[in-house]
Amino acid sequence: MDTKELRKLFERLTIREKIAQTIQLNGSLVVENDVMNTGPMQELGLPSDLNLYEIGSIYNVNDFEKLKRLQEQVLNKTPQQIPMLFMSDVIYGFRTIFPIPLAQAGSYDFDLIRKAAEITAKESYLNGLHIIFSPVLDLVRDPRWGRVMESPGEDVYTAKQFAKSVVTGYQGDCSKGVPENHVAACIKHFAGYGAPEAGREYNTVDLSNQRLFNEYLQPYQAALEAQTMLVMTAFNVLNGVPATGNKWLNRAILRERFGFDGVLVSDYAAVKELVPHGFAADEKEAAQKALEAGVDFDMMTSVYAKQLPELVNDPKIAALLDEAVWRILELKNHLGLFENPYRGLDLPQTGEILTEEAKATAVKLVEKSSVLLKNNGALPLQSEQKVAVIGPYGESRLTLGFWASVSGKPQDAISLKEGLLNNVAAEKLTFARGYNLFDSYDGFGPLKQGIERLNGPIEPAEQLFEEALTAAAAADVVVLTFGEQFLESGEGASKAKLGLPEKQVRLIRALKETGKPLVGVLYTGRPLVLTEVEPLFDSLLLVWYPGIMGGIGVANLLTGKSSPSARLSMTFPRSEGQIPIYGAQLSTGRPLASSSHSDRFVSKYIDESNEPLFKFGTGLTYAEFEGRWLTGVVTEQAVELDYRVKNQGALTADTAVHVYVKQAPAAIVRPVKRLVASAAVTLEAQEEKQLKSQIPLAELIFYDNEGNQHLATGDYQFILDIGGTEDFITLSL
Ligand code: BGC
């Protein structure tokens, strides 16, 4: 509808109807609607005269039929007939669940990531969703925090590329509205949610301005430049002010400085939590502060619903409410809901979900995001070898990771066993569970029965251990799947200890003692501390949570049908005491490697190395790549570099090229070395290619603590890092 018509509609709205537009509830409270005036509504404290069909939005109903029925009711039971928005926590796939974002980011194949996002958007669209609550763009350098799995990791450049690819994949070209088969993105959690003190969920975040502007805000900013239509606030306090009530953050920075004119959604109950934060005396003040900060939607509380009717007697608050409602209506209009309230719901969807193309893309992404951390020659497996596959992930389908349970189904997953049987003769394979997946963490209470149904009954631990050793004894090579189970990471899963549980360590030791080559396949949602067990493995492949096609992709990598190429998106520490440890660290005045001070008085630990176990960017392949710079020039807009890359090996293989910069001295201390460009390259055996890397000067700009931008002049060293080889070129700016 044109803006004039939308204005007319807006002007017809009563205060009650306007306030209703700013409410967002979990759909389960609304869809079974004959009960809508009972229990849950009272529990939440929503006013009894609220017409639930009038609220602006619901989330996390992923059932096509239910959404269709609900929209019909909205149109039939509300005088203004404003379609409701349907949102959902679709984070890395709707039904085609891809590897977790932390894994995807390490592929450095941003076209493939965009393609996966397009598939996610299409499947979501075909199920009637309008908006999905992702990508998560919280930069994170602390693996104790459970939500690392949802984020693209520790690196600014990587997170920015990920942000752009996912937002454009979801939204398509949305200059004239969100096109068919696409949905609006809602980036989250603004801002700094990935940096809670001590890695403890929902804890305080304190970041200097230079850290915020140069690092933590950058990925969100990249998504804003890619036109994300929604932003979600964060639960945390940022520099003393809760993000959800933070006027400076959400108005001065998000809206004025970054130019965001879309919809700002609070995180779950975050408006109400301004009270326990000690930032608002009561719910009334919480409503006022959130609205003043520019929060348009109040997710899952009754604070706006109850407090705004009185607060709007103040004309300033009434104007803020109008602003919020107008933005929500504009979003509905941009989605084309006034023309077609049944967007995505009026199409036959059978056959369009979990397509062969979607599955093939998922396989490719598994292959490209699994990281070969170590290889003493035990991988790839050889066809004549008898292989004992030990550990619960041999047969388990619980490979989707925490958030996928909202719309994904473990039943869709292909197990590693099924994948291996595609590539290896059945008589060469034996399987033994080794230990129960849920041995070490039982925080799954009511889910237990469902898990047992999916994953088989819990077996006596000693029996599993003995079976594993018997299987290993009869094999030529042992492949052990191990790590975390999906409930150990995700929201509310911070950990103080990142080592493996004792049962797994004991099993690894016992398998090592068999003398058989030992291959580890690590399933995890976060970097773990593997210092004790790493020397016991001959080869180690990190597959994260690989999603529904994990079984095929991982089997292809293990058997050499494809070669690993991903690089770590996040550092693996040697011990928890090193955290935060990450690649782009700033220098100190007393660097360990080159200080003139005596050994004691340099920046180091007396009981631990400064080096991580696996640094950011680690990643081996089955081939041998080598690269070197050819030429480099600085133009008005960019640093342009030509390089050659060669596959010296005997197999076609992919590699992820990294370009780092060591920059000239500046008014603010900058990282010793940081990533500024990358490329995903495929080369046949012995093939050589000449490629270009363009680094926009904008990538070299930095902010000072007052938020001003600078570009330092002087010498910049660019490092070409391919397959473990490095080449250097220095250019002057
Ligand atoms: C999470 C958000 C999520 C929301 C709705 C919150 O607990 O922090 O990421 O989108 O719940 O499910």
Side-chain angles (χ1 to χ4, degrees):
M1 113 180 5
D2 67 25
T3 311
K4 257 200 211 147
E5 259 182 281
L6 196 64
R7 262 286 151 208
K8 276 196 216 145
L9 166 65
F10 173 76
E11 271 150 22
R12 281 203 303 274
L13 300 183
T14 62
I15 292 286
R16 199 204 66 224
E17 286 166 334
K18 284 183 185 171
I19 295 172
Q21 281 301 310
T22 66
I23 301 172
Q24 173 170 79
L25 296 176
N26 185 303
S28 63
L29 299 179
V30 185
V31 285
E32 309 308 347
N33 41 66
D34 291 332
V35 297
M36 70 183 202
N37 283 320
T38 62
M41 196 147 147
Q42 278 157 16
E43 248 166 62
L44 257 180
L46 292 165
S48 55
D49 62 345
L50 177 73
N51 176 357
L52 277 188
Y53 298 113
E54 275 180 351
I55 66 168
S57 157
I58 57 140
Y59 70 94
N60 284 5
V61 171
N62 297 304
D63 181 310
F64 176 82
E65 294 297 339
K66 284 186 181 165
L67 289 178
K68 197 167 180 173
R69 209 163 49 240
L70 177 59
Q71 200 68 294
E72 274 164 15
Q73 283 159 330
V74 168
L75 299 179
N76 289 334
K77 298 190 179 186
T78 62
Q80 306 295 353
Q81 301 188 311
I82 301 175
M84 195 181 275
L85 285 173
F86 301 147
M87 313 197 187
S88 188
D89 278 299
V90 173
I91 315 290
Y92 45 95
F94 182 84
R95 275 289 289 281
T96 305
I97 303 297
F98 295 98
I100 57 172
L102 192 58
Q104 291 189 28
S107 71
Y108 289 90
D109 191 336
F110 295 106
D111 291 335
L112 187 61
I113 292 172
R114 193 181 52 242
K115 187 164 179 202
E118 279 164 7
I119 291 166
T120 299
K122 184 168 180 187
E123 291 189 352
S124 302
Y125 168 86
L126 289 171
N127 275 278
L129 296 177
H130 308 135
I131 293 150
I132 54 182
F133 289 148
S134 59
V136 175
L137 298 174
D138 307 319
L139 201 74
V140 53
R141 289 162 172 186
D142 191 332
R144 293 172 298 183
W145 189 52
R147 301 191 79 167
V148 295
M149 56 157 296
E150 292 172 55
S151 88
E154 69 173 51
D155 181 65
V156 176
Y157 164 84
T158 312
K160 285 198 301 188
Q161 304 308 312
F162 181 84
K164 280 189 235 165
S165 310
V166 176
V167 170
T168 49
Y170 285 173
Q171 298 192 158
D173 174 5
C174 55
S175 46
K176 297 196 187 73
V178 186
E180 271 184 14
N181 295 323
H182 289 273
V183 289
C186 177
I187 65 162
K188 62 192 190 184
H189 307 80
F190 198 72
Y193 181 45
E197 276 182 6
R200 206 182 71 224
E201 184 69 290
Y202 315 131
N203 205 10
T204 303
V205 174
D206 223 293
L207 294 165
S208 67
N209 269 349
Q210 73 86 16
R211 267 256 132 103
L212 256 181
F213 284 108
N214 288 319
E215 298 169 7
Y216 284 81
L217 292 182
Q218 290 272 326
Y220 310 117
Q221 215 180 327
L224 293 166
E225 281 163 21
Q227 309 296 321
T228 183
M229 285 181 201
L230 294 97
V231 174
M232 187 185 289
T233 69
F235 288 127
N236 54 279
V237 161
L238 178 67
N239 299 341
V241 181
T244 304
N246 196 322
K247 214 167 150 183
W248 173 80
L249 181 67
N250 298 319
R251 290 226 182 246
I253 301 302
L254 178 66
R255 296 220 184 266
E256 282 152 37
R257 186 160 186 157
F258 294 164
F260 176 63
D261 61 359
V263 168
L264 183 62
V265 189
S266 81
D267 200 351
Y268 187 108
V271 173
K272 194 168 179 170
E273 287 170 19
L274 296 180
V275 179
H277 265 305
F279 183 70
D282 50 26
E283 291 189 5
K284 189 169 171 192
E285 198 181 346
Q288 176 161 350
K289 287 193 159 172
L291 201 64
E292 281 172 354
V295 175
D296 302 316
F297 266 121
D298 174 6
M299 187 201 288
M300 271 311 269
T301 85
S302 55
V303 172
Y304 274 16
K306 274 197 321 207
Q307 306 301 333
L308 290 184
E310 198 190 316
L311 281 170
V312 290
N313 291 327
D314 174 348
K316 275 196 238 118
I317 305 279
L320 292 178
L321 173 65
D322 281 355
E323 220 185 82
V325 174
W326 179 247
R327 279 196 285 260
I328 292 168
L329 292 183
E330 274 194 313
L331 174 63
K332 293 185 175 186
N333 199 25
H334 215 57
L335 281 154
L337 289 176
F338 293 109
E339 281 74 29
N340 180 12
Y342 297 102
R343 182 190 155 85
L345 289 169
D346 49 359
L347 300 162
Q349 50 153 345
T350 343
E352 299 266 4
I353 308 287
L354 282 173
T355 60
E356 287 313 310
E357 194 203 356
K359 290 190 216 165
T361 307
V363 171
K364 195 89 224 128
L365 207 41
V366 175
E367 293 172 352
K368 287 202 139 193
S369 47
S370 301
V371 186
L372 185 59
L373 294 171
K374 174 177 183 179
N375 195 10
N376 289 346
L379 284 178
L381 302 171
Q382 303 302 313
S383 56
E384 68 283 358
Q385 284 176 319
K386 279 191 282 175
V387 187
V389 183
I390 292 170
Y393 286 108
E395 297 187 57
S396 175
R397 295 178 202 280
L398 298 177
T399 54
L400 274 50
F402 184 76
W403 272 108
S405 43
V406 173
S407 58
K409 300 200 186 322
Q411 295 89 324
D412 294 335
I414 311 269
S415 69
L416 181 58
K417 181 176 187 173
E418 289 163 318
L420 281 169
L421 283 168
N422 278 344
N423 299 2
V424 181
E427 63 275 15
K428 298 277 185 197
L429 288 170
T430 53
F431 291 84
R433 196 189 289 178
Y435 67 94
N436 290 301
L437 193 52
F438 294 92
D439 265 354
S440 53
Y441 175 70
D442 61 1
F444 54 91
L447 290 174
K448 187 166 179 244
Q449 274 186 347
I451 284 166
E452 281 198 11
R453 228 184 5 256
L454 275 167
N455 215 41
I458 297 193
E459 305 276 5
E462 270 321 292
Q463 181 192 321
L464 293 178
F465 182 73
E466 292 306 329
E467 279 169 13
L469 295 191
T470 310
D476 301 318
V477 56
V478 177
V479 173
L480 174 70
T481 67
F482 71 107
E484 288 190 326
Q485 46 88 354
F486 75 102
L487 293 168
E488 287 179 81
S489 52
E491 186 173 351
S494 290
K495 278 184 171 179
K497 301 184 199 94
L498 298 177
L500 293 175
E502 194 38 51
K503 282 203 181 103
Q504 294 190 36
V505 176
R506 177 181 174 226
L507 183 60
I508 295 168
R509 288 194 185 290
L511 292 173
K512 177 69 185 168
E513 271 166 28
T514 64
K516 304 290 164 82
L518 182 58
V519 175
V521 182
L522 175 59
Y523 290 73
T524 180
R526 55 151 65 82
L528 295 171
V529 170
L530 300 175
T531 313
E532 187 187 354
V533 296
E534 178 272 335
L536 306 176
F537 289 106
D538 294 286
S539 302
L540 197 49
L541 181 69
L542 163 66
V543 301
W544 303 106
Y545 285 114
I548 60 162
M549 300 311 283
I552 307 270
V554 174
N556 287 349
L557 291 169
L558 290 175
T559 55
K561 215 168 166 180
S562 55
S563 167
S565 59
R567 305 183 66 159
L568 274 186
S569 53
M570 199 166 169
T571 304
F572 272 52
R574 296 185 64 81
S575 55
E576 290 86 349
Q578 294 181 314
I579 297 170
I581 181 165
Y582 49 92
Q585 297 215 326
L586 304 192
S587 66
T588 75
R590 296 182 176 198
L592 176 62
S594 58
S595 174
S596 56
H597 290 275
S598 72
D599 180 51
R600 177 166 178 117
F601 298 104
V602 294
S603 180
K604 67 167 175 48
Y605 302 100
I606 58 172
D607 62 348
E608 181 60 281
S609 148
N610 277 9
E611 292 303 310
L613 183 64
F614 297 114
K615 63 177 188 169
F616 169 78
T618 296
L620 307 172
T621 72
Y622 295 150
E624 251 177 76
F625 288 93
E626 190 200 66
R628 68 191 156 88
W629 290 126
L630 296 174
T631 55
V633 288
V634 181
T635 69
E636 296 267 289
Q637 272 89 39
V639 175
E640 293 177 0
L641 296 150
D642 290 316
Y643 62 97
R644 266 187 179 277
V645 50
K646 183 167 184 197
N647 177 356
Q648 312 261 46
L651 293 168
T652 299
D654 301 312
T655 188
V657 173
H658 275 185
V659 178
Y660 293 85
V661 68
K662 286 186 185 186
Q663 78 156 74
I668 287 282
V669 174
R670 303 292 292 134
V672 176
K673 173 183 158 182
R674 69 187 176 93
L675 188 63
V676 284
S678 67
V681 182
T682 306
L683 291 180
E684 286 171 21
Q686 297 299 315
E687 189 185 347
E688 191 170 1
K689 258 189 196 159
Q690 187 168 325
L691 296 166
K692 269 191 192 310
S693 183
Q694 270 225 341
I695 302 156
L697 293 189
E699 191 63 49
L700 303 175
I701 280 172
F702 65 90
Y703 292 85
D704 61 24
N705 268 313
E706 283 68 53
N708 304 312
Q709 296 188 344
H710 303 269
L711 179 64
T713 52
D715 283 350
Y716 284 68
Q717 188 179 51
F718 294 92
I719 305 162
L720 179 67
D721 174 334
I722 302 174
T725 67
E726 287 187 333
D727 194 25
F728 302 85
I729 188 170
T730 301
L731 298 171
S732 282
L733 246 75

